[in-house]
């Protein structure tokens, strides 16, 4: 079905084939023997010749100083993570009524100073 559609519309095949070709066009198919297949092959060749070679973007290389800086940054991050210390805060908790009452009483008793003296001197 797909091959039949491409035989009917060879320009669709030429538009969908985005391949990187060498200095000349080399087809993977054997030389067509029928007149219609030769016409299709000629149309494909003309389409590729008109479009020209496809220029693929070149991958930029990263400079050495950038790679070295990222390595040092990773090492520094590891050292900082190792040196960090967990901070322990006394998080306020929601207490029920009785526990809240006990905490209030403790705070009240902490305000007073008690001195215990022995009578046996």
């Amino acid at each position: 079905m797909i091959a039949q559609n491409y035989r009917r519309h060879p320009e669709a095949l030429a538009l969908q084939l985005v391949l990187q070709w060498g200095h000349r066009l080399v087809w993977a198919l054997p030389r067509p023997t029928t007149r219609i297949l030769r016409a299709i092959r000629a149309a494909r060749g003309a389409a590729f010749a008109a479009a020209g070679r496809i220029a693929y973007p070149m991958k930029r290389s990263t400079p050495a100083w950038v790679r070295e800086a990222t390595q040092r940054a990773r090492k520094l991050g590891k050292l900082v993570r190792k040196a960090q210390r967990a901070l322990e805060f006394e998080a306020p908790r929601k207490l029920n009524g009785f526990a809240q009452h006990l905490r209030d009483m403790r705070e009240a008793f902490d305000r007073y100073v008690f001195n215990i003296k022995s009578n046996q001197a």
Side-chain angles (χ1 to χ4, degrees), residues 33-118:
T33 55
T34 61
R35 186 174 40 142
I36 188 78
L37 290 177
R38 283 194 297 270
I40 291 170
R41 183 174 171 151
R44 278 190 303 200
F48 282 117
R53 290 190 58 164
I54 299 165
Y56 290 96
M58 296 295 291
K59 186 178 177 186
R60 292 184 186 172
S61 62
T62 308
W65 65 270
V66 173
R67 286 193 298 265
E68 186 180 342
T70 53
Q71 285 176 352
R72 287 185 178 187
R74 270 191 238 111
K75 286 180 185 175
L76 178 65
K78 285 180 185 177
L79 288 174
V80 168
R81 266 186 251 115
K82 242 184 189 178
Q84 284 177 343
R85 204 169 111 178
L87 299 176
E88 296 177 12
F89 294 109
E90 192 174 316
R93 292 181 292 168
K94 188 171 184 177
L95 303 173
N96 62 17
F98 181 69
Q100 181 67 39
H101 176 69
L102 287 178
R103 191 171 92 188
D104 292 343
M105 287 180 60
R106 274 196 208 110
E107 288 173 0
F109 282 130
D110 288 342
R111 283 186 243 147
Y112 299 107
V113 177
F114 295 99
N115 289 329
I116 300 173
K117 292 184 181 176
S118 174

